[in-house]
Amino acid sequence: MGKILGIDLGTTNSCISVLDGTNPTVIHNQEGGRTTPSMVSWTADGDVVVGAASKRQMVTNPRRTVFGVKRLIGAKMTDPQVAELVSTMPYQIVAATNGDARVSIEGQLYSAQEISAHVLNKLRQVAEEYLGEAVTEAVITVPAYFDDVQRQATRDAGAIAGLTVRAILNEPTAAALAYGVGQKDQRVAVFDLGGGTFDISVLAIEGGVFQVLSTYGDTQLGGDDFDRHIIEFLASEFLSEHGIDLRKEPAALQRLKEAAERAKVELSSSMHTDINLPFLAVGPNGPMHMQRDMGRGELERICKDLLARLEQPCQEALKAARCTAADIDQVLLVGGMSRMPAVQEQVIRIFGKAPSKGVNPDEIVAMGAAIHSGILGGEIQEVTLLDVTPHNLGVRVAGDKMSVLIPANTSIPHSESKTFMTAADNQTFVAIEIYQGPNDAASKNRHLGRFTLGGLPEAAKGQVRVDVEFMVNADGIVEVAAKNRATGISTSMKVEMTSGLEQSEVERLAESFKGRRA
């Protein structure tokens, strides 16, 4: 049997790991890096470059260099987070004919799945060079708070890159696996603040069983948001001083992003840093430069609202796990943004204890994915993983209400049923509309599917009863059944998710990727 790769497909950087015996090993790329920038560029000649080579083109090729695309995966153009990206990204984001958010490069539209596939394709080739054999299978991690459409979009990205995705694994769960194998029994909180998302999961580790007790998160809170706050601050300051808006100049915007990232990183270990950007713009009197000092305290003031948003998901996760901060034995920090001192201070304030320093926040998720690949492949047999569903699952009822059958943080596999009554006189059928999400209004949640139960006897409203049952298996696959209680007539459907790409398009793109070098 061939190797199953463990891949952390990140917003900012990605990482790949493989089992060596029963131990996960992080594979370095051709440039010697243990992580690879999740960036893709199209050159003027139409060639595609990925990773570090793409990052080097950020300033010189801003319109055709794509980063942060994980935030577009499974997203519609009408989603609130997309509007913010449209106004801040140097590349162009437009609507496809089906409403999906796509990236436009010189008029050619690319889905987030295809762009992510370029990154996965590079990682696959790196692994094949390291292992000396072809690789066709992978476990890919996603934020715990991703919904089913985003998870399917990630699967499609893997398929386009020539990978059979054996499992989609939650990032905090992967981190807990990498940390907890061989550890004593304990309760762990995984605080995962990456480039694009924030997740918090609470797990119980007991006798080789990893049980996820709860998960919560914010898919619009990550390192990119901290960067944007710094960029907005510097650009507004420059506009006030010189009357030029750098946000309207793609090359200047990319230089600001580089400076923001550098300042953020340096202020994690130093109290002050210099921001020095010569020839940033040209005004009536010639070239203009940006040169200023930024202190750690100033950075924390700029990002004060983002830091404050870290607490509520943690409290919600603790509440759903039916425990308090005092019940947590270890807090694991995952994701590059967790290195920020102000973030670590928030963790100490929320949990009342210092986080563990024994893990590498950039690599632990990929290592956990490799361990899960070992569980799937049979190399690791003493570990059992029990996960939860991250979002409410239910049906739409009168008044656009969401009637929840399986609440978020329910251990899976699980089934639940509820009885509904007809809402109109002489109603001969009911349409079962399936939704996923936290909102009380069904239309504000993710629509998963629809099917109809017919053959109902004509009667006054409320006289005919229909039993609806939701079943979620260990892989998170949802099946819904409806039965007329009086006649026993029933129907059901398995929720087959689509990511916005038709299967034929996934297959066409996969064919185009065959033999392609990153």
Side-chain angles (χ1 to χ4, degrees), residues 22 74 227 364:
T22 59
D227 292 345
I364 189 172

Side-chain angles (χ1 to χ4, degrees), residues 148-168:
D148 284 12
V149 172
Q150 293 167 308
R151 290 166 190 268
Q152 183 59 47
T154 305
R155 281 187 179 275
D156 286 348
I160 293 168
L163 292 167
T164 298
V165 181
R166 290 286 300 274
I168 294 292

Side-chain angles (χ1 to χ4, degrees), residues 279-472:
F279 303 100
L280 190 56
V282 177
N285 299 319
M288 289 180 291
H289 321 293
M290 179 182 290
Q291 186 169 9
R292 74 186 307 280
D293 172 85
M294 179 174 282
R296 182 182 292 179
E298 185 177 29
L299 171 64
E300 292 172 3
R301 287 192 297 274
I302 292 169
C303 300
K304 183 179 178 180
D305 63 316
L306 299 177
L307 293 167
R309 284 168 57 188
L310 296 170
E311 180 169 6
Q312 192 245 347
C314 294
Q315 299 298 350
E316 293 288 349
L318 288 170
K319 180 180 176 182
R322 295 180 175 85
C323 65
T324 67
D327 297 320
I328 302 299
D329 298 302
Q330 287 281 7
V331 181
L332 304 183
L333 296 183
V334 179
M337 272 308 304
S338 68
R339 288 190 171 92
M340 184 176 180
V343 170
Q344 296 182 11
E345 288 167 11
Q346 275 284 71
V347 170
I348 293 171
R349 192 180 67 78
I350 294 167
F351 291 97
K353 55 178 63 68
S356 170
K357 299 288 187 181
V359 301
N360 184 323
D362 297 320
E363 300 176 2
I364 189 172
V365 170
M367 293 170 69
I371 289 173
H372 192 58
S373 78
I375 297 171
L376 295 174
E379 296 97 329
I380 298 175
Q381 298 181 351
E382 67 276 13
V383 175
T384 302
L385 176 61
L386 302 174
D387 218 330
V388 298
T389 180
H391 296 284
N392 294 335
L393 287 164
V395 297
R396 182 178 183 173
V397 295
D400 192 33
K401 298 294 184 183
M402 169 88 157
S403 180
V404 176
L405 277 83
I406 298 182
N409 294 308
T410 298
S411 294
I412 54 177
H414 186 80
S415 65
E416 198 70 47
S417 62
K418 187 179 285 191
T419 300
F420 297 90
M421 292 176 289
T422 50
D425 293 337
N426 301 319
Q427 187 174 338
T428 59
F429 71 93
V430 290
I432 311 295
E433 299 274 1
I434 307 161
Y435 285 86
Q436 179 185 52
N439 206 288
D440 290 336
S443 60
K444 293 184 178 180
N445 294 320
R446 179 76 78 171
H447 186 251
L448 300 185
R450 179 185 191 274
F451 69 101
T452 300
L453 174 64
L456 302 183
E458 293 186 6
K461 67 177 182 180
Q463 294 301 305
V464 180
R465 299 189 175 193
V466 174
D467 294 330
V468 176
E469 183 179 19
F470 272 57
M471 295 152 283
V472 185

Side-chain angles (χ1 to χ4, degrees), residues 131-144:
L131 296 168
E133 62 183 69
V135 177
T136 60
E137 296 183 312
V139 171
I140 303 179
T141 62
V142 296

Side-chain angles (χ1 to χ4, degrees), residues 180-227:
V181 172
Q183 295 275 358
K184 65 180 182 180
D185 293 354
Q186 56 190 287
R187 193 158 291 193
V188 175
V190 183
F191 184 99
D192 184 358
L193 184 60
T197 58
F198 171 53
D199 284 322
I200 177 75
S201 291
V202 179
L203 298 93
I205 303 173
E206 297 177 2
V209 176
F210 288 70
Q211 182 179 7
V212 181
L213 301 178
S214 69
T215 190
Y216 209 84
D218 186 338
T219 56
Q220 303 308 317
L221 176 60
D224 285 356
D225 300 287
F226 285 80
D227 292 345

Side-chain angles (χ1 to χ4, degrees), residues 473-486:
N473 69 16
D475 293 322
I477 303 299
V478 180
E479 189 168 349
V480 183
K483 183 173 70 173
N484 180 341
R485 181 179 287 189

Side-chain angles (χ1 to χ4, degrees), residues 3 12 35-36 81 94 107 120 163 215 223 252 261 265 281 288 299 313 322 334 355 366 416 446 451 494:
K3 290 285 188 181
T12 307
T35 61
T36 298
Q81 76 272 18
V94 301
L120 291 171
L163 292 167
T215 190
E261 288 181 351
V265 170
M288 289 180 291
L299 171 64
R322 295 180 175 85
V334 179
E416 198 70 47
R446 179 76 78 171
F451 69 101
K494 182 182 289 185

